Amino acid sequence: PTYRDLIKNPMDLQTMTEKLKSTENTNYAWIRHDFELMVFNALTFNPFFSKYWIEAKRYYEDCIKNVFDEIGKGAPVGKHDHLVLENFKQAEKASKMEEKR
């Protein structure tokens, strides 16, 4: 399947930047929403533990720690956050199952 087949709501850094410039995203809540969607899309499209999946996970963890927990403390958890975390759990479960084989 192609990216467009799997990802129904694409999001990327360029789109986020354009939204910021046009003042569509004027607070951390909307930025966090788009950020979580972007990460969720990357995790969904790429296989567990591929270099892109690993980078999306690293980026998520770093941004949560260094941006949303520090600078954007007022930004509520977005609607995609639980999906991102669930993907991490599924990857760990798949990894453990693979180890047992």
Side-chain angles (χ1 to χ4, degrees):
T2 67
Y3 186 83
R4 297 286 179 180
D5 291 336
L6 291 176
I7 306 303
K8 301 306 178 195
N9 297 306
M11 181 54 60
D12 56 71
L13 289 173
Q14 181 176 350
T15 302
M16 290 175 67
T17 300
E18 289 169 4
K19 282 183 167 186
L20 282 168
K21 288 179 181 176
S22 71
T23 66
E24 284 183 45
N25 269 340
T26 57
N27 63 51
Y28 278 102
W30 289 107
I31 294 169
R32 183 162 181 168
H33 171 272
D34 287 351
F35 162 76
E36 289 173 3
L37 174 59
M38 178 181 65
V39 171
F40 175 67
N41 289 344
L43 296 172
T44 300
F45 183 71
N46 295 290
F48 293 150
F49 303 106
S50 67
K51 66 181 182 179
Y52 301 109
W53 188 95
I54 290 168
E55 181 59 18
K57 184 176 189 286
R58 184 204 62 78
Y59 188 59
Y60 172 84
E61 291 170 344
D62 285 352
C63 285
I64 293 298
K65 179 181 175 187
N66 297 311
V67 176
F68 297 109
D69 286 350
E70 293 297 321
I71 302 167
K73 290 181 181 179
V77 172
K79 70 178 187 177
H80 298 98
D81 190 69
H82 76 282
L83 298 171
V84 169
L85 298 176
E86 182 60 33
N87 188 283
F88 295 162
K89 288 179 187 175
Q90 289 174 358
E92 285 302 317
K93 184 177 178 181
S95 177
K96 288 179 183 177
M97 289 176 63
E98 187 63 28
E99 287 175 8
K100 291 180 181 179
R101 288 184 355 141

